[in-house]
Amino acid sequence: MSSISFAELSILLIEPSYTQRKIILTHLQQEGVHHIDGVATAQEALTFIEQYPPDLVISAMYLPDSNASELLHTIRQNDRHSTINFMLVSSETRFSALDPVRQAGVVAILPKPFDHADLNRALRATIDYIDPKELELSSYDTNELRVLLVDDSVTARNHIQRVLNNLGINGIETAQNGSEAVHILEQSDFDLVITDLNMPEMDGQQLVEYIRQDLGDSFLPILVVTSVGNDPRLDNIQQAGVSAICDKPFEPQSIKEVLYRVLEGD
């Protein structure tokens, strides 16, 4: 049980519409959140964050001077604020608009309108990031786990690595694509491979097939992380021998449960 409550969270709400800001503010207050500041533009948000870094930023997709993707990229580029938690609330459904936000690592993407269950889950995920609990395994020493993380997005790699670090997993080597991962796998042994699905040169499915067929390793746990939940290749990658598939964004508790399953074999 976390020692942090919703009442202790500090939230910056970025919403150009006064009406929408009031609606989201009411939802947050009903969940027991009290420390909420509201701004209307990206520049106001960046100025506020510089002075009073919040636990969580909740933003609309489209702002008068920017958009959520550009704002999140700016926040992630600042070493002082790169780990600030970010939630998107938007009626946007286009993959091209949402994928950069997913790749950068967010607590949640909530639709408009959203229900209290979705908001509650996102707030709990925020607390999991702030006050993480280490993964406890019977078959492995978490501190000695060796993980190969493969993703062409540096922001996605940084986010996933942060989640793993929070779980007590620090033995992480990274690769930018499947081809680079193959070179690493030929020289080193790992306890777990986490790979993106969509990558240049060699994608996640080809990497899984290489591990299972060319290396002949049917036991190495492989977790595929994807931002495309309805990708027709998911059936093929399951047949190729992937251990689990996880959506972006993922919640710390969800990834913890997946890791228990693939590493402990439960």
Side-chain angles (χ1 to χ4, degrees):
M1 190 73 177
S2 175
S3 59
I4 300 175
S5 68
F6 289 178
E8 297 173 87
L9 291 175
S10 62
I11 292 179
L12 175 62
L13 175 59
I14 312 167
E15 172 56 68
S17 164
Y18 176 78
T19 301
Q20 286 295 324
R21 205 155 63 233
K22 290 291 289 183
I23 291 172
I24 298 173
L25 180 67
T26 299
H27 278 289
L28 289 169
Q29 290 173 335
Q30 289 173 349
E31 290 294 337
V33 181
H34 304 306
H35 306 293
I36 311 164
D37 291 281
V39 296
T41 69
Q43 187 54 57
E44 289 175 332
L46 292 171
T47 300
F48 184 93
I49 290 171
E50 194 62 35
Q51 296 179 326
Y52 311 103
D55 294 316
L56 173 66
V57 171
I58 300 178
S59 178
M61 173 62 85
Y62 300 107
L63 308 171
D65 54 345
S66 187
N67 61 52
S69 177
E70 293 172 352
L71 173 61
L72 181 53
H73 178 75
T74 301
I75 293 172
R76 293 285 186 256
Q77 291 296 106
N78 186 323
D79 290 340
R80 292 179 56 226
H81 308 310
S82 61
T83 59
I84 287 177
N85 299 293
F86 195 98
M87 183 194 307
L88 178 68
V89 178
S90 175
S91 55
E92 179 64 78
T93 58
R94 291 176 301 154
F95 174 81
S96 60
L98 295 177
D99 192 53
V101 181
R102 290 192 181 99
Q103 296 290 351
V106 291
V107 171
I109 298 177
L110 302 188
K112 288 183 180 178
F114 57 83
D115 60 34
H116 277 285
D118 291 335
L119 179 59
N120 183 279
R121 187 167 56 251
L123 293 174
R124 291 189 184 281
T126 300
I127 289 176
D128 285 340
Y129 280 116
I130 298 170
D131 185 27
K133 299 294 185 293
E134 288 194 4
L135 184 69
E136 295 182 0
L137 301 169
S138 59
S139 304
Y140 297 86
D141 182 339
T142 305
N143 293 317
E144 295 182 1
L145 270 176
R146 298 204 64 223
V147 178
L148 177 59
L149 172 59
V150 192
D151 200 307
D152 60 311
S153 165
V154 64
T155 52
R157 289 200 306 274
N158 289 341
H159 175 67
I160 296 172
Q161 189 160 351
R162 174 194 171 199
V163 173
L164 295 175
N165 289 159
N166 284 346
L167 295 176
I169 301 172
N170 297 300
I172 304 169
E173 191 162 346
T174 61
Q176 299 181 51
N177 55 58
S179 296
E180 189 174 318
V182 165
H183 179 70
I184 294 172
L185 286 165
E186 289 173 344
Q187 302 179 52
S188 304
D189 294 324
F190 292 89
D191 301 303
L192 172 68
V193 172
I194 300 177
T195 180
D196 188 26
L197 178 56
N198 294 307
M199 296 181 292
E201 296 188 39
M202 185 178 189
D203 65 19
Q205 179 179 335
Q206 293 169 317
L207 178 58
V208 173
E209 291 171 346
Y210 168 81
I211 293 171
R212 297 299 188 229
Q213 298 173 18
D214 294 14
L215 287 184
D217 192 333
S218 59
F219 298 103
L220 177 62
I222 307 173
L223 172 61
V224 168
V225 182
T226 177
S227 58
V228 190
N230 59 351
D231 194 313
R233 290 175 300 168
L234 293 182
D235 287 338
N236 294 332
I237 203 167
Q238 286 177 325
Q239 294 175 13
V242 68
S243 306
I245 298 173
C246 193
D247 293 332
K248 294 178 182 178
F250 52 74
E251 302 164 4
Q253 184 57 38
S254 297
I255 192 65
K256 184 182 290 188
E257 291 171 0
V258 169
L259 290 177
Y260 272 126
R261 188 169 71 251
V262 301
L263 293 172
E264 300 284 34
D266 296 334

